[in-house]
Amino acid sequence: MLYVPILKCKQGEKDALLNLNDEVKNQIRPVLEITPDVYQKFNGTQDFWDKQFFYFDVSQEIRNDLSENEFLKLINKCDMEYTIPVIYSYDEENLIAKLMDKSQNGLALNLYLEEILEDEFPEVIQDILKLIEISDTDLIINVKDVC
């Protein structure tokens, strides 16, 4: 069983990952999320999470504002041997196809719990399943804030 923490790529979180012992590192697969305050400074994960699998994501605050090329430039800064791109149900088909081609480790589909509970979810998930290889896709069910 893997633990999947969502981390914001801020210095404190990067320092914490860097200082984990190998036994712990082997039991987690973090979602490394690029936020607006680290977007311009992001230079890959090699200095704090090297040669370990991780999910690559971009926060909702900037995700919709990034062009496909800007998103791909960010992910290109990562070692694709260990990177698993995160996709969402609303991502463009073209971006999903490019990420599938780029990734050596499949994709991760992030679904929000509120999205799953919507009436139209069965149609939405059917559309997504037409675009991805389900056997190469991890599912992240994101409950956002737990009260």
Side-chain angles (χ1 to χ4, degrees):
M1 161 97 53
L2 289 174
Y3 175 59
V4 182
I6 299 175
L7 304 174
K8 307 289 186 195
C9 280
K10 297 185 182 208
Q11 194 58 52
E13 291 171 328
K14 292 187 325 187
D15 289 345
L17 287 175
L18 182 63
N19 289 304
L20 291 175
N21 68 43
D22 288 340
E23 184 178 326
V24 174
K25 284 182 181 181
N26 292 331
Q27 295 179 33
I28 68 172
R29 182 170 297 158
V31 175
L32 299 178
E33 184 178 88
I34 307 304
T35 56
D37 53 332
V38 298
Y39 164 65
Q40 297 295 333
K41 299 179 274 183
F42 181 70
N43 209 15
T45 61
Q46 295 79 3
D47 60 334
F48 64 95
W49 192 252
D50 194 30
K51 301 196 184 321
Q52 295 283 333
F53 289 100
F54 68 96
Y55 299 108
F56 177 85
D57 199 4
V58 176
S59 72
Q60 295 305 306
E61 297 111 314
I62 60 173
R63 189 173 183 103
N64 296 331
D65 294 332
L66 286 179
S67 71
E68 184 178 293
N69 284 343
E70 291 170 318
F71 185 90
L72 292 172
K73 281 182 188 176
L74 278 175
I75 203 166
N76 283 335
K77 294 180 180 182
C78 300
D79 181 349
M80 292 310 295
E81 186 175 346
Y82 298 98
T83 305
I84 303 167
V86 174
I87 61 168
Y88 291 82
S89 62
Y90 52 80
D91 280 337
E92 296 290 328
E93 183 175 338
N94 192 44
L95 176 62
I96 293 172
K98 285 184 179 178
L99 291 173
M100 281 181 23
D101 287 343
K102 179 175 276 307
S103 179
Q104 300 173 22
N105 307 299
L107 301 173
L109 174 60
N110 187 334
L111 296 172
Y112 292 106
L113 183 58
E114 62 197 28
E115 179 181 19
I116 294 170
L117 298 174
E118 291 177 1
D119 291 338
E120 49 285 327
F121 180 71
E123 293 83 25
V124 170
I125 196 68
Q126 286 302 318
D127 289 342
I128 295 168
L129 293 176
K130 292 175 189 172
L131 303 175
I132 61 175
E133 295 290 332
I134 195 162
S135 61
D136 290 335
T137 304
D138 293 340
L139 178 62
I140 299 171
I141 298 176
N142 191 331
V143 296
K144 291 188 182 178
D145 297 324
V146 180
C147 299

